[in-house]
């Protein structure tokens, strides 16, 4: 089904200036012309139709482990590159649930998910406290960058409190958390690689220390919960836990930052929707779902075919790679009427911003809660907020496969 005038995966990243400013021109074209598109250069299929994306995500027999992908699948196979020199390799450091299949995936994910969901279910007051403290810090400013002052620090501080990071370590923890996210950037500078290595090693050592401490003296936090589950027989090692705790920071911080940042930007550029929310605060949950659908923080996720199969009428062979365009699926007119309209009261809008199936985002309840608390609190604190320069184009970050703002300057 390949067609020469269709974009490759590389053009479907914000490194392409056209995609960066308007990803949907390319995604709509791809969905119309070739919804199951074989990109021979990247060695992967790209899926843009909602039905195909939802179907392959829900198929729990699909693989995720990049080692199972054919050689031609250069992007998943890059994940198998040796770690950069200086990054400490330890027992369990290759156990990320994002890149593993059953039985290891379920063995590690199940206890972590159980503990995390239980914590999130009771952490609304904690999120509200973090948000209020953050708002207090810059309340008097006439102009500020929403990303820097609010959207970046809120998720880091929330996860720190959930994990049980000591107050005296918060400054370092924030710095390391920003450092490990650099692992997502394939085009980082040598200085950024160094920062990533230093941060990952420091976090690993700190998590190890915290686990030893909580094993002896449990407290009211996620790391203590995990120590209890381990003692009761949850079959995951310390190294696997350390590695996957770091995965929560890599997978969760920037994405939640972008959910909050994209949400604030959408409301500032859609005054009628903000007025709707203010008139009916009960719309906040559907507003957050619409932000996730309309401006999804993650562009794509991937799977590897575990057997010869057919997707959307297109034959796919075992070990071939599939990229599901979550952004493309979330604007498919077959599923979402008038898909390019931002409508916070939209009904029945089952977006795929968190992926699906066995790898459905483990942090989705937390991300939703943070946005549901942060957005109303933010707009209540700044009732007359406006963009600092309403004529300027939004400054989208150029990190491949993620969508969020580099900065968002506003006036109070
Ligand atoms: C708006 C915020 C977020 C978005 C849009 C998002 C999106 C995603 C997506 C698309 C996946 C891949 C799912 C798939 O392949 O089917 C994923 C997986 C994952 N996310 Fe999130 N995420 C967010 C927040 C979080 C948070 C807050 C955490 C941690 C606290 C987190 C941790 C993870 C982890 C560990 C995985 C791997 C799960 C697995 O493979 O079993 N994410 N996320």
């Amino acid at each position: 089904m390949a067609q020469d005038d269709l974009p490759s995966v590389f053009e479907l990243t914000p490194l392409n200036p056209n995609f960066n400013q308007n990803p949907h021109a390319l995604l709509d074209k791809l969905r119309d012309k070739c919804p199951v598109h074989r990109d021979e250069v990247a060695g992967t299929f790209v899926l843009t139709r909602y039905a195909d994306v939802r179907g392959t995500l829900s198929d729990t027999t699909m693989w995720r482990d990049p080692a199972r992908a054919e050689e031609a699948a250069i992007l998943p196979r890059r994940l198998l590159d040796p770690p950069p020199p200086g990054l400490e390799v330890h027992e369990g450091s290759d156990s990320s649930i994002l890149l593993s299949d059953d039985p290891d995936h379920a063995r590690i994910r199940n206890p972590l998910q159980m503990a995390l969901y239980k914590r999130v279910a009771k952490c609304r007051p904690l999120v509200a406290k973090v948000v209020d403290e953050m708002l207090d810090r810059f309340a008097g400013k006439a102009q500020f960058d929403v990303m820097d002052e609010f959207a970046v620090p809120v998720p880091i501080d929330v996860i720190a409190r959930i994990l049980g990071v000591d107050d005296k370590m918060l400054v370092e923890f924030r710095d390391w958390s920003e450092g490990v996210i650099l692992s997502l950037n394939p085009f980082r500078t040598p200085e950024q690689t160094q920062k990533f290595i230093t941060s990952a090693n420091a976090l690993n050592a700190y998590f190890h220390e915290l686990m030893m401490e909580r094993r002896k003296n449990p407290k009211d936090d996620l790391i203590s919960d995990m120590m209890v589950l381990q003692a009761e027989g949850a079959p995951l090692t310390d190294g696997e836990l350390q590695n996957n705790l770091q995965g929560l920071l890599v997978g969760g911080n920037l994405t939640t930052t972008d959910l909050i940042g994209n949400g604030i930007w959408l409301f500032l550029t859609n005054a009628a929707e903000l007025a709707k929310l203010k008139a009916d605060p009960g719309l906040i949950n559907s507003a957050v779902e619409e932000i996730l659908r309309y401006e999804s923080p993650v562009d794509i996720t991937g799977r590897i075919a575990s057997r010869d199969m057919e997707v959307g009428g297109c034959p796919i062979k075992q070990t071939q790679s599939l990229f599901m365009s979550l952004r493309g699926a979330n604007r498919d007119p077959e599923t979402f009427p008038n898909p390019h309209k931002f409508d916070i009261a939209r009904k029945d809008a089952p977006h795929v911003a968190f992926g699906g199936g066995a790898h459905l985002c483990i942090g989705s309840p937390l991300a939703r809660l943070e946005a549901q608390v942060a957005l109303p609190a933010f707009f209540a604190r700044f009732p007359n907020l406006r963009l600092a320069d309403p004529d300027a184009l939004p400054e989208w970050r150029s990190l491949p496969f993620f969508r969020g703002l580099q900065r968002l300057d506003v006036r109070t």
Side-chain angles (χ1 to χ4, degrees), residues 10-20 186-187 397-400:
F10 303 103
E11 289 164 278
L12 299 176
T13 77
L15 295 169
N16 170 5
N18 294 332
F19 186 86
N20 187 313
F187 306 103
R397 226 186 294 104
S398 57
L399 183 63

Side-chain angles (χ1 to χ4, degrees), residues 150-219:
F150 190 64
V152 170
V154 164
I156 296 179
D157 276 23
V158 168
I159 195 76
R161 311 274 173 192
I162 288 178
L163 289 168
V165 172
D166 296 321
D167 281 355
K168 62 177 186 336
M169 291 301 295
L170 252 186
V171 173
E172 280 99 333
F173 181 82
R174 287 177 187 139
D175 188 50
W176 299 332
S177 299
E178 293 202 41
V180 284
I181 286 175
L182 292 166
S183 68
L184 299 172
N185 185 354
F187 306 103
R188 55 182 183 258
T189 61
E191 291 73 29
Q192 288 172 320
T193 298
Q194 196 46 52
K195 164 110 183 146
F196 154 58
I197 292 168
T198 315
S199 305
N201 290 344
L203 264 178
N204 196 44
Y206 179 59
F207 281 143
H208 179 72
E209 189 188 310
L210 216 49
M211 284 161 54
M212 297 298 125
E213 161 59 26
R214 294 301 195 269
R215 196 169 272 143
K216 277 191 278 169
N217 302 308
K219 290 194 179 169

Side-chain angles (χ1 to χ4, degrees), residues 234-390:
L236 81 172
T237 66
D238 283 4
E240 288 168 341
L241 182 55
Q242 271 160 241
N243 188 42
N244 281 284
L245 289 176
Q246 219 172 101
L248 298 184
L249 307 182
V250 176
N253 286 346
L254 187 68
T255 46
T256 310
T257 287
D258 290 341
L259 171 58
I260 296 171
N262 295 353
I264 292 175
W265 178 76
L266 281 170
F267 279 124
L268 290 176
T269 50
N270 291 272
E273 296 305 296
L274 182 56
K276 242 191 253 167
L277 179 63
K278 286 183 173 174
D280 181 0
L283 283 174
I284 185 60
N285 291 3
S286 72
V288 169
E289 298 312 302
E290 179 67 347
I291 297 163
L292 284 160
R293 182 195 74 83
Y294 188 87
E295 212 56 274
S296 316
V298 178
D299 267 339
I300 58 149
T301 189
R303 295 288 188 272
I304 295 151
S306 57
R307 59 183 187 285
D308 290 354
M309 59 195 297
E310 230 181 55
V311 174
C314 180
I316 291 177
K317 290 200 176 336
Q318 187 185 45
T319 75
Q320 285 188 316
S321 150
L322 289 88
F323 276 16
M324 295 82 160
S325 170
L326 306 174
R327 178 172 312 291
N330 282 338
R331 299 272 191 114
D332 183 344
E334 288 283 317
T335 305
F336 305 102
N338 208 354
H340 299 309
K341 182 171 169 22
F342 176 60
D343 173 5
I344 66 164
R346 192 181 278 274
K347 298 259 183 314
D348 303 325
H351 64 76
V352 284
F354 289 119
H359 291 270
L360 172 74
C361 175
I362 198 173
S364 53
L366 179 59
R368 286 186 159 113
L369 174 67
E370 290 188 49
Q372 288 162 7
V373 172
L375 293 172
F378 180 85
F379 284 107
R381 194 69 77 101
F382 302 107
N384 301 315
L385 201 76
R386 56 208 185 282
L387 293 172
D389 179 359

Side-chain angles (χ1 to χ4, degrees), residues 58-92:
S58 308
D59 179 349
T60 52
T61 67
M62 301 286 280
W63 293 329
R64 186 74 215 230
D65 178 354
R68 299 175 114 162
E70 61 170 351
E71 289 291 335
I74 56 176
L75 290 173
R77 298 217 48 111
R78 263 204 75 180
L79 298 168
L80 302 170
D81 287 352
L87 186 70
E88 284 160 21
V89 178
H90 60 88
E91 171 278 313

